[in-house]
Amino acid sequence: MKLKILFPGLMLASMLAACGKAPVDPETPYVIEGELTGLPDSIVVRLFQYDGNVGTMVTSDTLTDGLFRFEQVMAESLNRMGIYGMGDGFPSMSRTIYVAPGAQIKVKGHDSHIFTWDVESKVPEQQEYEKMMQDTKADYDVYQDLAIEDNRLYKEYARLRSSGDDSEETKARIQELRDLRQRLRAQQDSVSDVTQVKTIAAMKKLKPSQPWLEKLSSLARMCMAYPDYKFRNDAIELYGLLPEGIKTSLQGQEIYAGLYPPEEAKDGADFPDATFYDLQGNEHHIAEHKGKYILLDFWSSGCGPCILAFPEMKKVYEKYQDRLTIVSMSTDTDSRWRKASEEHDITWSNWNEGKGTGGLYAHYRIMGIPYYVLINPEGKIEKRMMGYGENMFTEFFAELLGE
């Protein structure tokens, strides 16, 4: 199964820009240096690497004399990173950073508005990202203030809810906090709409690039989740600007599935099927396991909880394999799926559709992984679960299938 790679030229362009003239050795570290004012030392800054929609922490640094620094070798072709600030006063947002081998990147900020910290970089993708977002900085500063206040109110709300205090005064404050947060979220939604309008307007003037496509992918996911999404027509218009070669690529197919989603698989209905491939290239269908309980596991190599679930899944599979089969459905590209499969002990069916989030994934309207679907022996969708917690499968299948 061969999957198309998006924008190989962009990665080469990043390497050329990072060193000036000649391509850089892929093992040459990139450097991110941050200079922050208005924030206390001891703040922890974390660097995350993104594989699609899944982020994995790479490293962290503690702010000292207003400075932080990261020096890392790029992992394969994954060049989109995110910087997070840890501690009170930060919004639950990150600053997007695009890296390349040998790149020297400067980050400057004067407050906790991390999403709008200034970035100086010669990496082409970063420059394209800044063009796309340049008209939204003031709006995102307002949004971040609202997000910070919402975080503060939530912490008080959570503390009171868990305090065990049933006094009328506490109950009244909890309700007040609910009302305040509801008003804040309405304000955030309003500001978010403004940023979307401005970003989309910028995208219509720019040529498709990696950041441009990532933003369109985000819009497409919203279209899939919310049929009446107010920016659906804009997203469809942007999709129409894509060259045919991008439309037929893996990411293009994922975007199309978001804009024009297939029939939704609903609980109690017959399960949808498709053609999948194992590591040897053999074709498979879910129907070949009909007659047993089937647990579909949608996962990615960059998803920490997905990987954490594997040992428990193995135990459950080995215990109940006469009545239960597990089918892990990777959303990774072929090469990443194969590499991850070598690193993890997957003894049950391990398949890939080759469509990322644009195939069976879209039928279930999945908005986050790990995501599990239980199909009963009659072929009906019985239950869905998102996320993983310790002993989750052990307890669930003990109740369903017995000890």
Side-chain angles (χ1 to χ4, degrees):
M1 174 174 53
K2 300 293 185 183
L3 303 182
K4 297 183 179 180
I5 300 173
L6 282 173
F7 297 116
L10 286 181
M11 292 304 303
L12 177 58
S14 297
M15 294 180 183
L16 290 170
C19 65
K21 295 182 179 180
V24 179
D25 185 331
E27 295 299 313
T28 304
Y30 61 84
V31 177
I32 301 173
E33 294 181 324
E35 181 180 342
L36 307 178
T37 58
L39 293 172
D41 281 354
S42 78
I43 289 288
V44 175
V45 182
R46 291 180 176 173
L47 180 67
F48 278 71
Q49 169 188 287
Y50 285 95
D51 182 2
N53 304 317
V54 179
T56 303
M57 194 181 86
V58 176
T59 187
S60 64
D61 193 17
T62 301
L63 194 66
T64 304
D65 296 329
L67 305 175
F68 68 86
R69 188 177 190 275
F70 302 122
E71 182 172 343
Q72 296 288 318
V73 174
M74 216 171 110
E76 300 179 16
S77 61
L78 300 178
N79 67 334
R80 182 165 64 97
M81 316 296 287
I83 293 178
Y84 288 81
M86 309 306 296
D88 293 337
F90 279 96
S92 300
M93 302 171 74
S94 68
R95 183 49 160 115
T96 298
I97 305 286
Y98 291 89
V99 299
Q104 302 290 317
I105 301 165
K106 305 288 186 182
V107 178
K108 294 184 179 181
H110 57 83
D111 54 27
S112 62
H113 289 183
I114 193 168
F115 188 82
T116 47
W117 284 353
D118 294 327
V119 176
E120 297 177 14
S121 171
K122 293 182 179 180
V123 176
E125 292 89 344
Q126 190 71 47
Q127 294 174 349
E128 290 298 316
Y129 177 84
E130 301 305 325
K131 290 177 188 176
M132 192 171 67
M133 305 298 290
Q134 64 184 356
D135 293 332
T136 64
K137 186 177 188 301
D139 303 297
Y140 272 116
D141 281 336
V142 173
Y143 185 94
Q144 289 175 97
D145 279 333
L146 294 170
I148 290 167
E149 178 63 7
D150 187 44
N151 286 346
R152 186 188 69 79
L153 294 177
Y154 175 74
K155 287 181 180 178
E156 182 183 355
Y157 171 81
R159 178 179 59 79
L160 291 176
R161 281 292 303 270
S162 62
S163 68
D165 184 350
D166 292 330
S167 67
E168 292 303 315
E169 181 180 356
T170 297
K171 290 179 180 178
R173 178 56 178 167
I174 287 174
Q175 184 58 51
E176 182 182 17
L177 290 168
R178 285 198 188 104
D179 295 340
L180 287 170
R181 293 192 67 223
Q182 186 174 2
R183 288 197 290 272
L184 273 175
R185 286 193 292 272
Q187 290 177 284
Q188 285 179 284
D189 289 344
S190 178
V191 176
S192 180
D193 286 348
V194 173
T195 65
Q196 293 284 49
V197 168
K198 291 182 177 181
T199 302
I200 289 169
M203 291 172 71
K204 291 178 180 179
K205 299 175 183 178
L206 297 171
K207 293 182 179 180
S209 62
Q210 180 185 342
W212 193 102
L213 272 175
E214 287 165 351
K215 179 60 181 177
L216 180 54
S217 294
S218 175
L219 292 172
R221 287 193 297 274
M222 293 297 291
C223 290
M224 184 170 70
Y226 305 103
D228 297 326
Y229 184 52
K230 64 181 67 177
F231 298 108
R232 173 180 292 277
N233 289 337
D234 292 298
I236 291 172
E237 181 181 346
L238 290 170
Y239 176 78
L241 300 176
L242 293 178
E244 195 60 32
I246 298 177
K247 287 183 178 179
T248 58
S249 70
L250 175 60
Q251 191 169 13
Q253 292 178 62
E254 291 177 326
I255 291 169
Y256 183 88
L259 298 177
Y260 305 101
E263 182 179 358
E264 183 176 1
K266 297 184 177 181
D267 291 355
D270 292 334
F271 66 86
D273 210 341
T275 300
F276 305 91
Y277 302 87
D278 62 26
L279 292 166
Q280 290 71 45
N282 301 310
E283 290 189 4
H284 292 278
H285 298 87
I286 298 170
E288 66 194 59
H289 293 300
K290 191 173 180 180
K292 291 184 178 182
Y293 278 99
I294 306 168
L295 181 69
L296 303 182
D297 159 40
F298 293 88
W299 70 288
S300 165
S301 58
C303 168
C306 298
I307 306 304
L308 284 174
F310 283 166
E312 187 179 348
M313 289 168 65
K314 181 180 179 181
K315 291 179 182 177
V316 167
Y317 172 67
E318 291 176 348
K319 182 174 183 178
Y320 298 109
Q321 58 184 302
D322 59 327
R323 289 170 288 165
L324 168 71
T325 192
I326 299 176
V327 180
S328 284
M329 306 284 195
S330 173
T331 61
D332 285 333
T333 59
D334 186 71
S335 59
R336 290 190 61 78
W337 167 53
R338 290 180 182 280
K339 181 179 179 181
S341 297
E342 292 175 358
E343 297 171 352
H344 304 290
D345 188 19
I346 305 176
T347 57
W348 51 92
S349 296
N350 177 19
W351 300 347
N352 194 323
E353 190 179 1
K355 295 183 179 180
T357 60
L360 192 68
Y361 190 101
H363 277 283
Y364 287 103
R365 304 296 192 267
I366 298 172
M367 299 303 292
I369 55 175
Y371 192 91
Y372 307 98
V373 178
L374 183 69
I375 299 168
N376 67 26
E378 289 71 44
K380 305 292 185 182
I381 300 168
E382 187 162 308
K383 185 177 178 65
R384 309 177 198 211
M385 298 170 279
M386 187 169 75
Y388 170 71
E390 188 176 1
N391 294 323
M392 178 175 116
F393 297 117
T394 302
E395 295 172 359
F396 177 78
F397 285 107
E399 183 176 346
L400 179 69
L401 301 175
E403 293 293 343

